[in-house]
Amino acid sequence: MILFPDFTHPTTAAYDLDRTATIGLDGPGGAYSIHVSCPSGAMPAAGWPVTYMLDGDTFPVIREILCYQVGHGAPGLPEPRMLVAVGYTGASRRAHDYAPECIDAHEAKAGGAAAFRQFLLGAVRQAVESRWPVDPARQTLMGHSLGGLFVLDTLFCQPGAFGTWVASSPSVWWRSGYLSVAAARFAA
């Protein structure tokens, strides 16, 4: 399933592409839709490389990457890979799920990154790996904005969880420079 929503309406339906599936999972704070696209062609001997993408219901780059993967418009990806888009059923909880634990009472909606990370690395990966052969050594985590904050926070907390990290325009402003402090701790 590829998601190319009307951004003015949060429940706009997605449309299907070939070789895609949606898995419903319960996780921290509610239900999630896990949209999986498996490439056509010969699978590599070690299994498919996988890119896990956050903001699965609204992140428009998913559409472009999937279009490249299935050969529309631009050349295909240099190496086909599975794409796993993690989204929500209903209202988005990204401000909670992608934000590291909060300290201030006024940030009551933030602070669920640890629980979401456990869900992503546990239940989501298990659901994907139980259905498709994946290469555990070639996995990528990709996120934008608050999703980019989550990608970098995950890198700093669990650097071995993924082999490749893509943080597009991460929310470096969050909590007055949290990422700078976390990066310094990580580098030390």
Side-chain angles (χ1 to χ4, degrees):
M1 177 169 288
I2 184 57
L3 308 151
F4 191 51
D6 169 1
F7 291 107
T8 63
H9 194 275
T11 59
T12 299
Y15 60 89
D16 289 326
L17 288 176
D18 293 337
R19 302 181 57 82
T20 61
T22 300
I23 304 166
L25 291 177
D26 288 327
Y32 293 81
S33 292
I34 313 303
H35 308 288
V36 181
S37 172
C38 190
S40 58
M43 178 187 67
W48 292 112
V50 181
T51 296
Y52 289 88
M53 300 175 157
L54 305 175
D55 289 318
D57 294 322
T58 60
F59 195 18
V61 75
I62 294 170
R63 177 186 181 280
E64 297 304 315
I65 290 173
L66 286 178
C67 284
Y68 292 153
Q69 182 165 317
V70 298
H72 301 292
L77 294 171
E79 179 179 43
R81 61 183 44 245
M82 286 183 62
L83 300 173
V84 178
V86 181
Y88 299 97
T89 60
S92 174
R93 297 179 303 279
R94 69 189 302 274
H96 177 76
D97 285 352
Y98 301 165
E101 185 175 282
C102 63
I103 297 169
D104 301 327
H106 71 277
E107 295 179 18
K109 290 187 176 184
F116 181 74
R117 184 171 19 261
Q118 182 179 7
F119 169 69
L120 178 65
L121 298 177
V124 174
R125 269 194 174 159
Q126 289 169 7
V128 171
E129 292 172 1
S130 70
R131 291 167 174 84
W132 294 276
V134 303
D135 184 345
R138 295 189 301 159
Q139 298 197 14
T140 299
L141 179 60
M142 179 178 184
H144 174 74
S145 188
L146 281 173
L149 171 69
F150 178 82
V151 167
L152 293 175
D153 189 55
T154 300
L155 169 63
F156 300 150
C157 293
Q158 292 185 259
F162 294 91
T164 305
W165 308 83
V166 180
S168 168
S169 190
S171 296
V172 296
W173 54 264
W174 192 79
R175 280 196 24 216
S176 301
Y178 165 84
L179 280 178
S180 297
V181 174
R185 246 182 292 149
F186 176 73

